[in-house]
Amino acid sequence: MPISRRTLLLSSAAGAAASTTIWPLSAAATPYRGPLKSSPFTLGVASGDPDPDGFVLWTRLATSPLAEDGLGGMPDRSVRVTWELAADERFRRVVRRGAVTARPERGHSVHVELNGLSAGREFFYRFHAERYTSPVGRTRTSPPRWERGGTLSMAFVSCSQFEHGYFTAYRRLAEDEPELILHLGDYQYEYAPDTYNIPGGNPRDHQGPETVTLANYRQRHAQYKSDPDLQAAHAVAPWAVVWDDHEIENNWADETPEQPDPDFLVRRAAAFQAYYENMPLRRTSIPRGIDMQLYRRLHWGRLATFHLLDTRQFRDDQGCGDGYRDCPAAYDPARSITGSEQEAWLLDGFHRSTARWDILGQQVFFGQRDNNSGPQKVLSMDSWDGYQASRDRITRGWVDAGVRNPVVLTGDVHAHWADDLKLDYDDPASRTVGTELVCSSITSGGDGADVPGGNHPWAAWNPHLRFYNNQRGYVRTRIAGDSLTADFVVLPYVTTPGAAAHTRASFVIEDRVPGLQQVADNPTPGAALRSAPADLGAETVQQETSRP
């Protein structure tokens, strides 16, 4: 009987990674220069940044992924890697093939940047190194830039703390078979074992110390990439990735670390190099010391333009020592969360856009969340609330440019949220000018709990906050010419593997009608329900702003 694409991809990823989650922690590699002794494809495969004529194919060679020196047990030499791209999953119709060199100084990572392919097509790819063959991945080119019609199935995710649970949400996402996946940051976490703990204890542990050196970051990325559920998600569709803070260090801001550290810029450069080595990014994102070009655009015909932002590398330091504060710095017009160059690039993109949907893929909460019911505003200094002039310039920018349907996608806060965006949040009757969709975490924070009614206590005095849920999961969207539908997918638990997923709530954004219309509300069957307690904001503050 024929094998379905879903079965082929999921079983291929799972089979290749079945043993990688129990690799022993090995010592530093010896200068072995002989042939490979076992499969080097323990970290799976990935693709990314699709455009109408190409994409990036990625893998990283590692025979012993958790080696302390970060070199993955690989011999101290370059390795020739061949690749194949086919129009079918069994590789009967190979359309491209080639060879690249995986070098030790780049962590034996492989980035194949293809162009000249047909637009709007599905492809399958794999790699070979010596006598070993990688799992198969599926990817696609985006539609032609002029194409107006069609739909897009896109999902977005964030915050996958390995220690806080199993990556079942990635597996369920792969089973949905989206056409594009956005990761909005906190792909991996920097903490040493037994540092960032959830109630009841962490079900898994990080290997190695807190990530500071290049070897540390390479080892940590390898531990995450060894997870079979994450591998399945990478293999099923192209990704577009941006970082948040934990890829480097909690709540870093440009050249300012969370705590004083004279070696922070050395750490930052190491983290940037490891991030590039482990992500399907184009050569334009190759780091140059402490600098890395990550903000960029992806176009899906004329249906959607994705403006992928970097709200860490160029921001001013958080005001008033970070946390939730009533802080004058939040209103300083000179302060920016994007930096002036990125802001100008974004505003120019609004004016040039011909897309039906302009979608900002970024990290931290965009709309206002005042946690104080009284006249005093108490806001998160790490979010856009801490940079209000910056937020106002960008919001007015899309209004002035006549952007047809602005939508902001957000991660970071370990919970599902949905809110209407305003020019004047102090006037509940002011018109809605955009929409924000916030995905929960894959694991960060542990199991969480369902919230009946989907209301956060702060919504009583922030009426633009329309939905809240504190379970883990992701957001699945269907983007069409007349509407964008967002399904907030949740899992009842992540501290043990194998949970089923279901849609907790669904919202529709109609073409030219900014704001949310709820079309489904589905409490988790059999899950423990709780009302959001009055001190829930303290939990949110801890997750967002403090090193546990």
Side-chain angles (χ1 to χ4, degrees):
M1 294 181 63
I3 300 175
S4 72
R5 291 171 177 173
R6 174 187 293 185
T7 302
L8 179 74
L9 291 167
L10 296 185
S11 62
S12 175
S19 63
T20 58
T21 55
I22 55 172
W23 282 106
L25 180 62
S26 59
T30 59
Y32 171 71
R33 300 182 65 84
L36 299 176
K37 297 180 178 180
S38 60
S39 175
F41 296 112
T42 59
L43 307 183
V45 299
S47 67
D49 281 14
D51 65 20
D53 76 340
F55 34 68
V56 178
L57 305 180
W58 172 94
T59 192
R60 179 182 161 212
L61 308 184
T63 57
S64 181
L66 303 186
E68 289 178 325
D69 61 2
L71 299 178
M74 290 295 294
D76 186 24
R77 62 175 174 84
S78 296
V79 177
R80 185 174 185 267
V81 178
T82 60
W83 54 270
E84 294 176 286
L85 185 74
D88 69 300
E89 58 267 40
R90 294 190 179 277
F91 289 80
R92 294 190 179 109
R93 291 177 289 149
V94 174
V95 296
R96 292 280 185 89
R97 54 168 52 96
V100 293
T101 300
R103 305 181 187 280
E105 61 269 25
R106 288 297 182 185
H108 287 100
S109 62
V110 173
H111 295 77
V112 179
E113 193 167 328
L114 294 177
N115 53 36
L117 300 171
S118 298
R121 299 289 180 86
E122 180 181 73
F123 296 93
F124 298 84
Y125 62 95
R126 64 188 177 189
F127 299 91
H128 308 276
E130 297 184 5
R131 59 191 178 94
Y132 301 100
T133 298
S134 76
V136 174
R138 179 175 65 182
T139 190
R140 66 182 62 245
T141 51
S142 60
R145 285 287 299 273
W146 48 261
E147 185 172 289
R148 291 181 179 274
T151 63
L152 169 62
S153 171
M154 180 275 293
F156 62 100
V157 296
S158 71
C159 302
S160 46
Q161 219 287 24
F162 183 90
E163 300 176 298
H164 286 185
Y166 294 87
F167 288 168
T168 312
Y170 281 138
R171 173 70 56 172
R172 302 295 173 248
L173 171 60
E175 292 167 353
D176 287 342
E177 297 191 79
E179 297 169 288
L180 178 67
I181 298 171
L182 306 187
H183 199 295
L184 302 181
D186 294 347
Y187 183 97
Q188 60 90 29
Y189 282 68
E190 74 276 26
Y191 300 112
D194 200 31
T195 301
Y196 184 5
N197 298 315
I198 60 174
N202 294 340
R204 305 197 287 186
D205 287 323
H206 280 150
Q207 293 278 16
E210 179 168 338
T211 53
V212 175
T213 67
L214 179 58
N216 298 156
Y217 284 109
R218 282 172 168 170
Q219 181 193 37
R220 187 61 52 80
H221 276 284
Q223 183 175 21
Y224 280 58
K225 280 289 201 305
S226 296
D227 186 276
D229 295 330
L230 176 55
Q231 289 191 15
H234 271 299
V236 81
W239 285 42
V241 299
V242 287
W243 58 37
D244 192 13
D245 53 338
H246 290 289
E247 287 86 353
I248 294 85
E249 182 202 46
N250 184 57
N251 280 19
W252 65 285
D254 194 0
E255 297 185 9
T256 304
E258 181 185 33
Q259 302 293 337
D261 177 4
D263 298 320
F264 175 70
L265 295 185
V266 176
R267 179 181 187 176
R268 170 171 153 164
F272 284 14
Q273 180 173 337
Y275 186 80
Y276 176 79
E277 290 174 352
N278 286 278
M279 294 295 166
L281 289 164
R282 294 180 179 270
R283 65 176 64 93
T284 51
S285 292
I286 294 174
R288 292 169 175 80
I290 64 167
D291 297 316
M292 184 170 172
Q293 180 64 46
L294 199 59
Y295 66 84
R296 61 202 188 280
R297 285 190 186 90
L298 299 180
H299 301 277
W300 207 266
R302 300 185 79 170
L303 178 67
T305 293
F306 295 90
H307 310 266
L308 301 173
L309 305 186
D310 177 352
T311 62
R312 290 290 167 190
Q313 193 175 179
F314 310 105
R315 68 158 66 194
D316 289 289
D317 194 14
Q318 293 91 343
C320 298
D322 210 348
Y324 273 74
R325 302 280 188 268
D326 176 14
C327 178
Y331 307 96
D332 184 347
R335 298 178 73 253
S336 174
I337 196 171
T338 62
S340 59
E341 184 176 323
Q342 183 178 192
E343 181 179 302
W345 166 87
L346 180 58
L347 295 176
D348 180 67
F350 291 154
H351 283 277
R352 293 176 180 271
S353 178
T354 59
R356 182 69 56 95
W357 301 89
D358 278 272
I359 300 172
L360 280 64
Q362 58 93 48
Q363 296 74 31
V364 294
F365 214 98
F366 192 87
Q368 180 173 285
R369 288 187 305 162
D370 180 3
N371 78 355
N372 180 28
S373 61
Q376 183 183 38
K377 276 190 183 180
V378 181
L379 307 169
S380 168
M381 294 299 100
D382 189 56
S383 73
W384 289 80
D385 272 340
Y387 304 82
Q388 294 200 26
S390 189
R391 178 175 64 196
D392 185 69
R393 289 191 296 269
I394 287 169
T395 306
R396 291 185 184 279
W398 77 56
V399 172
D400 293 345
V403 168
R404 182 163 175 162
N405 293 298
V407 179
V408 178
L409 308 182
T410 301
D412 183 58
V413 292
H414 307 177
H416 283 321
W417 295 76
D419 55 297
D420 296 333
L421 300 177
K422 307 277 189 176
L423 283 170
D424 184 1
Y425 291 99
D426 295 332
D427 178 7
S430 65
R431 71 182 178 114
T432 296
V433 296
T435 310
E436 181 172 22
L437 305 172
V438 184
C439 66
S440 186
S441 62
I442 293 293
T443 53
S444 301
D447 290 337
D450 199 2
V451 177
N455 293 315
H456 194 286
W458 300 349
W461 55 92
N462 295 274
H464 57 280
L465 301 177
R466 301 285 304 282
F467 175 71
Y468 170 79
N469 179 270
N470 194 33
Q471 292 172 297
R472 309 290 74 85
Y474 56 93
V475 178
R476 177 180 59 221
T477 71
R478 180 184 181 276
I479 305 171
D482 61 350
S483 64
L484 185 156
T485 302
D487 298 327
F488 288 84
V489 180
V490 299
L491 283 71
Y493 54 86
V494 294
T495 49
T496 54
H502 86 283
T503 299
R504 177 61 181 81
S506 296
F507 290 85
V508 169
I509 308 166
E510 294 183 351
D511 180 32
R512 298 189 186 273
V513 185
L516 295 152
Q517 298 182 45
Q518 186 164 1
V519 295
D521 182 18
N522 305 304
T524 301
L529 300 179
R530 73 173 185 187
S531 296
D535 64 348
L536 187 56
E539 297 175 17
T540 307
V541 171
Q542 183 185 46
Q543 289 171 350
E544 292 176 25
T545 63
S546 65
R547 184 194 202 87

